[in-house]
Every structure is written in C-alpha cells, then in structure tokens.
Amino acid sequence: MRLKKGLMISAIALASVLTFSACADSGAAPSSEAPVEEVPEFEAGTTMADLSDAGKITIGTKFDQPLFGLKGPDGTPVGFDVEIGKLVASKLGIKPENIEWVETVSANREPFIQNGQVDLVVATYTINDKRKEVISFAGPYYSAGQDLLVLAGNPEDIKGPEDLADKAVCTVTGSTSEKNIAEYTANVIATDTYSNCLGPLRSGEVAAVTTDNVILAGLADQNAGEFEVLDKPFTEEPYGIGLALDDTEFRNFVNDVLEESFEDGAWAAAWESTAGKVLSTPKPPTIDRY
Ligand code: GLU
C-alpha cells in the first residue's frame, strides 16, 4: 500500500489525505496545499524504513566507467548503474540529490558492503557464488560478457582469449575478469580500475585489456578511433545490486523495484539515456530470487 506523505511525519500525511477526502466528499476543491510526495510505507525496523526516514542513502558505484558509472563535471557520477541506483532510491522516497555516491573499485565492493560503508553497490557487479558467501545480490538487471579490447585495427590479430597465451593482458584486481583470464595467460597485469589499463595498451606493454564487453565499449567510445572491442564475449556476467548478506527484506524490496522497472519502462528509459547512446537496448533479464 502507498500513502501520500508530504513531511516526514506520517500523521501529517494522514491528515492531509483525510483533508483531501473530506473536500472531495463535499464536492469542494482541496485548498492550496504544498504538493505531496508519494513514498511507500515500510515496516518499522526494516532497512527500507530506516533509509526512507533518513531521507538519504549511500551507494557505491564506479567513477571511471563511461556508460555505466563515470564521474561527471559536477562531481556526481552518470551512467546506467547510476540510473539504477536512483531508481531504487526513488522508491524509498529519496531524491537523487540526497544520494551519497561513493567510488567502489572492483576489489573493495564486498568489504564496503560488509563494513556498512555503503547501503548498496551498483557497479557492473557480477553475481556469483563466491561473492554470495559474504554479501547478497538483487537482480540481475543486466547481463554482460567478458571480452577483449585491442588497439584499433587489431595489429596483433587477436581473435579471442586463446590467442593470449604468450601475451600480456591488463585487467583489474578483484574482478571476475582477472580470475577468468588467468585460464588463458599467466602474463596478467592487474590494476585498480580499467581506465588505468589504457596507457599500457597504447604503449604496447600489453596486447589487450580484458573485462566486460560493455565496459570496454564505453572506453572505446570515450577514446574514439584508438581502440576496438573484439565483440566475442566468452563468459556470462549477470549484474546484480550488492547489499548486506542477511538483509532478505531489503533484497526482496530491491528485486521488486527492478522487476517493476522492467515492466513500466523505467529500466528501458534508464538504459536509453545512458548506455543506450552507444549500445542497443537489450531485453531485461529475469530476476533470480535465490
Ligand atoms: N563484472 C565483473 C566483476 O564484477 C567485471 C567488471 C568489474 O570489475 O566491475 O568483477
């Protein structure tokens, strides 16, 4: 059930609803009250109630991944992950300006959730069993695949990860990309963020950069004419929203928000205003309520 709540005091909200009903009943127009904001009613003691009452939320995302999470000129990040984070916040009655964005790199996502430094992580974050041992995932809300980024024109004629056995590759510490590429080459340079890999690729220190196709597509788009994505994904990377391990109510809530956004067009609109400027619009995945 949803209630209209203008101030953070439900009694006042209830009074205004009753005032409106009374006016409606008498046929008179409601007096000029300030517009009320629609927020859901949450059971006391839940994370949803706590966040909604606080009117703010802390979300971890990437700050250097064009299309998904890239710090904009005003200091706040932009991208599909950021829009997904805003969607969840909006269903808690939290405005975008009341979201505190924290940079999470691949390796610190689980600890940031475990330590309570962030309420959610929306950061090209693959759902997998190992991570599920220490945190929970809502989603997936997108499904990517690991791929390779090479210099434009592919001078080393790399056709896939099998061609990397005797070549150096750059990726990021703590990512699934790092783990997966180790099956193909022992010569892996791992750094903090994917944008750090572009210098070594330009200089020839590495023959390829590897991570999810959509991250690589964003980097190629940001550096027009310099790089190309092979576009031969060799893994499946379902993106989830990370949250505290034992917070099943919050996970269910975030899953409900995602599912609703798949149906009402909000998810597609989030895609089209961000990643969709470069990539075609996919079909929403199926939520996995494990
Ligand atoms: N999706 C992969 C992961 O969560 C690679 C991208 C990233 O590091 O964010 O590890």
Side-chain angles (χ1 to χ4, degrees), residues 53-94:
D53 289 350
K56 55 185 189 197
I57 187 168
T58 305
I59 305 181
T61 196
K62 299 295 184 81
F63 276 13
D64 70 335
Q65 291 182 187
L67 309 182
F68 277 72
L70 179 69
K71 206 168 179 184
D74 70 348
T76 53
V78 290
F80 183 58
D81 280 340
V82 173
E83 291 306 308
I84 293 290
K86 286 184 195 166
L87 246 166
V88 176
S90 76
K91 299 294 179 184
L92 293 163
I94 300 170

Side-chain angles (χ1 to χ4, degrees), residues 55-256:
K56 55 185 189 197
I57 187 168
T58 305
I59 305 181
T61 196
K62 299 295 184 81
F63 276 13
D64 70 335
Q65 291 182 187
L67 309 182
F68 277 72
L70 179 69
K71 206 168 179 184
D74 70 348
T76 53
V78 290
F80 183 58
D81 280 340
V82 173
E83 291 306 308
I84 293 290
K86 286 184 195 166
L87 246 166
V88 176
S90 76
K91 299 294 179 184
L92 293 163
I94 300 170
K95 295 192 180 81
E97 59 267 32
N98 293 328
I99 302 173
E100 187 190 342
W101 296 103
V102 170
E103 181 179 21
T104 45
V105 296
S106 302
N108 68 17
R109 292 174 292 195
E110 290 94 281
F112 272 35
I113 295 168
Q114 290 173 286
N115 300 339
Q117 278 164 272
V118 294
D119 299 302
L120 295 172
V121 166
V122 195
T124 60
Y125 200 8
T126 297
I127 300 170
N128 67 28
D129 288 343
K130 184 157 185 289
R131 290 172 177 166
K132 277 189 205 166
E133 286 171 13
V134 290
I135 60 130
S136 278
F137 284 106
Y141 62 91
Y142 182 72
S143 200
Q146 188 168 343
D147 213 319
L148 299 175
L149 184 78
V150 296
L151 289 175
N154 195 2
E156 301 210 37
D157 196 25
I158 296 163
K159 296 190 175 65
E162 299 79 10
D163 293 341
L164 296 173
D166 56 353
K167 297 191 195 308
V169 182
C170 187
T171 191
V172 161
T173 311
S175 65
T176 54
S177 319
E178 180 190 33
K179 188 166 177 293
N180 297 332
I181 204 63
E183 290 174 28
Y184 298 94
T185 175
N187 198 349
V188 176
I189 294 177
T191 176
D192 279 353
T193 69
Y194 298 104
S195 57
N196 283 348
C197 286
L198 298 182
L201 181 57
R202 281 190 186 101
S203 70
E205 191 187 334
V206 299
V209 177
T210 190
T211 187
D212 302 341
N213 48 1
V214 290
I215 299 173
L216 298 176
L219 294 171
D221 180 65
Q222 188 187 44
N223 299 277
E226 274 200 274
F227 308 112
E228 63 186 57
V229 184
L230 286 197
D231 201 14
K232 288 188 190 133
F234 53 93
T235 69
E236 280 181 17
E237 308 292 330
Y239 287 175
I241 300 184
L243 51 94
L245 180 62
D246 48 8
D247 203 342
T248 307
E249 285 166 324
F250 196 28
R251 177 152 62 93
N252 288 339
F253 167 78
V254 177
N255 276 330
D256 291 345

